[in-house]
């Protein structure tokens, strides 16, 4: 059977290599991605429209804000699905053994982590807030923030981490992030623009239309960051304990 | 020339990491090798100038997904059956 399955694999691989011959040269100006009018539009207009130096963030959070909003919703739904499936998978009379860790948390590990966590969390905020100027943004900042809570769970135990960030609060925070994103979109709709048309926010805030887009992007990124942080941590907490939220790694 | 050598080396290591992740029986080893794969991918993206994508790959691919996979393996048998 293994020999037989090698035939289609090799066939498809050969086809892929054959197709790769037609790829444009890397960085070639005549490649479809560079030659399309869309990319030259973004390159020449992003700075004028939004005053955001990092074009990637501007495209992600403003020009294609609708897309990013539903990406966040997908992350939220994935987290909720894991919660829903694992919640009832192991009842109280489950035969699975629960791992009890009797030993105290290691003093060297915990003290190193005590020093590291503030740095990681400040870096997460920096990545989130500086996403306009340098690489980064809501997704990356949120993941780094979520990782700092996972680090607490790994070096002490899950109960210590859950005391700081209970799973119920994770759900609320994740929902809040999406409400913040959608709220900014709806607010700009009520002010006369279209959904997620941040420039209209200049009507109620004392900033120019360009800077309104600049700052609304930060608000939207904070929403994404909240959702991703909460979902990453609740994913870890649920997966490592099969939904029991006790013991675990 | 230097960059081309760098690319070739990383692409070769990518293939090696992918093959090891598939072949190895221990799931824990496989997930750690998978993190190595993600990190090599991140290097490749950073070298091509897609720094945002590289950042996401480093945090999500090499960081969180490895932790989540290891957390899941903790509740499974460690050896793969095939």
């Amino acid at each position: 059977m293994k020999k037989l399955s090698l035939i289609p694999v090799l066939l498809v691989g050969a086809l892929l290599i054959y197709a790769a011959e037609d790829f444009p040269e890397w960085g070639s100006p005549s490649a479809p991605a560079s030659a399309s009018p869309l990319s030259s539009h973004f390159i020449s207009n992003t700075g004028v429209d939004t005053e955001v130096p990092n074009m990637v963030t501007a495209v992600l959070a403003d020009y294609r804000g609708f897309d990013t909003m539903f990406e966040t919703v997908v992350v939220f739904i994935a987290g909720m699905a894991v919660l829903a499936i694992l919640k009832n998978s192991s009842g109280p009379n489950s035969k699975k053994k629960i791992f009890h860790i009797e030993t105290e948390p290691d003093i060297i590990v915990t003290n190193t982590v005590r020093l590291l966590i503030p740095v990681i969390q400040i870096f997460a905020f920096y990545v989130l807030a500086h996403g306009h100027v340098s690489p980064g943004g809501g997704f990356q900042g949120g993941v780094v923030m979520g990782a700092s809570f996972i680090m607490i769970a790994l070096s002490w135990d899950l109960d210590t981490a859950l005391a700081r960030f209970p799973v119920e609060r994770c759900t609320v925070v994740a929902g809040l992030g999406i409400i913040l994103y959608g709220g900014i979109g709806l607010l700009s709709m009520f002010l006369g623009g279209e959904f997620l048309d941040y420039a209209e926010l200049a009507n109620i805030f004392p900033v120019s239309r360009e800077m309104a887009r600049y700052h609304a992007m930060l608000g939207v990124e904070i929403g994404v960051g909240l959702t991703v942080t909460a979902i990453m941590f609740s994913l870890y907490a649920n997966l490592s304990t099969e939904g029991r939220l006790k013991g675990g790694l | 020339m230097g960059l081309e050598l760098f690319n070739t080396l990383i692409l070769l290591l990518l293939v090696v990491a992918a093959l090891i992740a598939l072949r190895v029986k221990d799931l824990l080893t496989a997930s750690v090798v998978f993190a190595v794969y993600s990190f090599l991918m991140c290097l490749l993206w950073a070298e091509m100038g897609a720094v945002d994508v590289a950042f996401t790959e480093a945090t999500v691919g090499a960081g969180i997904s490895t932790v989540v996979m290891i957390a899941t393996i903790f509740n499974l048998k460690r050896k793969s059956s095939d």
Side-chain angles (χ1 to χ4, degrees):
Chain A
M1 200 60 208
K2 261 190 174 163
K3 291 258 160 49
L4 208 66
S5 60
L6 208 62
I7 298 168
V9 166
L10 285 177
L11 213 70
V12 172
L15 266 176
L16 279 176
I17 290 170
Y18 176 70
E21 286 288 298
D22 279 348
F23 276 1
E25 195 80 356
W26 181 68
S28 145
S30 61
S34 326
S36 84
L38 208 58
S39 44
S40 56
H41 174 86
F42 285 143
I43 290 167
S44 55
N45 287 26
T46 304
V48 185
D49 284 352
T50 65
E51 299 197 19
V52 172
N54 184 6
M55 236 179 292
V56 180
T57 305
V59 171
L60 212 74
D62 188 313
Y63 293 105
R64 293 180 55 182
F66 204 60
D67 198 64
T68 310
M69 181 178 154
F70 281 98
E71 258 171 53
T72 319
V73 174
V74 164
V75 171
F76 178 73
I77 291 174
M80 289 302 111
V82 168
L83 208 72
I85 291 169
L86 287 180
K87 191 105 194 167
N88 299 318
S89 69
S90 54
N93 45 6
S94 159
K95 291 282 187 297
K96 288 247 174 84
K97 60 173 177 179
I98 300 171
F99 295 93
H100 285 293
I101 300 154
E102 302 292 340
T103 49
E104 284 287 298
D106 189 70
I107 188 165
I108 296 172
V109 173
T110 51
N111 279 304
T112 313
V113 169
R114 228 188 274 272
L115 287 176
L116 271 176
I117 295 254
V119 182
I120 293 174
Q121 293 189 337
I122 288 173
F123 181 68
F125 283 129
Y126 158 76
V127 167
L128 203 156
H130 214 246
H132 303 78
V133 189
S134 61
F139 276 103
Q140 293 94 325
V143 169
V144 173
M145 195 66 177
S148 75
F149 285 106
I150 293 177
M151 210 164 160
I152 295 176
L154 284 175
S155 50
W156 279 272
D157 47 21
L158 194 62
D159 295 335
T160 316
L162 283 175
R164 283 165 173 76
F165 203 7
V167 170
E168 296 80 33
R169 203 185 294 162
C170 278
T171 320
V172 174
V173 168
L176 265 181
I178 292 173
I179 289 170
L180 180 62
Y181 202 137
I184 291 173
L186 279 178
L187 187 61
S188 45
M189 203 162 114
F190 289 135
L191 290 170
E194 287 168 13
F195 189 58
L196 295 171
D197 191 358
Y198 310 137
E200 301 297 331
L201 294 172
N203 294 334
I204 48 167
F205 294 111
V207 283
S208 65
R209 289 178 73 81
E210 289 77 28
M211 285 313 276
R213 289 176 80 166
Y214 186 101
H215 291 306
M217 264 184 244
L218 178 65
V220 159
E221 296 275 16
I222 290 172
V224 175
L226 286 177
T227 305
V228 173
T229 305
I231 291 300
M232 287 304 152
F233 180 60
S234 82
L235 263 186
Y236 170 79
N238 276 295
L239 281 176
S240 65
T241 60
E242 288 186 71
R244 284 186 302 267
L245 304 175
K246 262 194 208 64
L249 277 183
Chain B
M1 188 59 218
L3 267 185
E4 213 136 276
L5 202 69
F6 180 75
N7 276 345
T8 318
L9 188 72
I10 286 184
L11 284 169
L12 278 176
L13 282 174
L14 266 180
V15 174
V16 172
L19 283 177
I20 292 176
L22 279 176
R23 301 287 302 180
V24 89
K25 290 256 192 256
D26 189 355
L27 289 173
L28 195 63
T29 319
S31 58
V32 171
V33 175
F34 211 55
V36 172
Y37 180 91
S38 276
F39 188 70
L40 288 169
M41 214 55 218
C42 157
L43 281 181
L44 209 60
W45 266 315
E47 189 266 310
M48 286 194 283
V51 196
D52 275 272
V53 185
F55 200 169
T56 313
E57 182 71 36
T59 51
V60 179
I64 288 283
S65 59
T66 311
V67 174
V68 168
M69 270 194 277
I70 290 173
T72 315
I73 288 166
F74 190 70
N75 290 312
L76 303 170
K77 278 184 298 179
R78 247 181 89 170
K79 299 282 175 201
S80 99
S81 53
D82 62 354

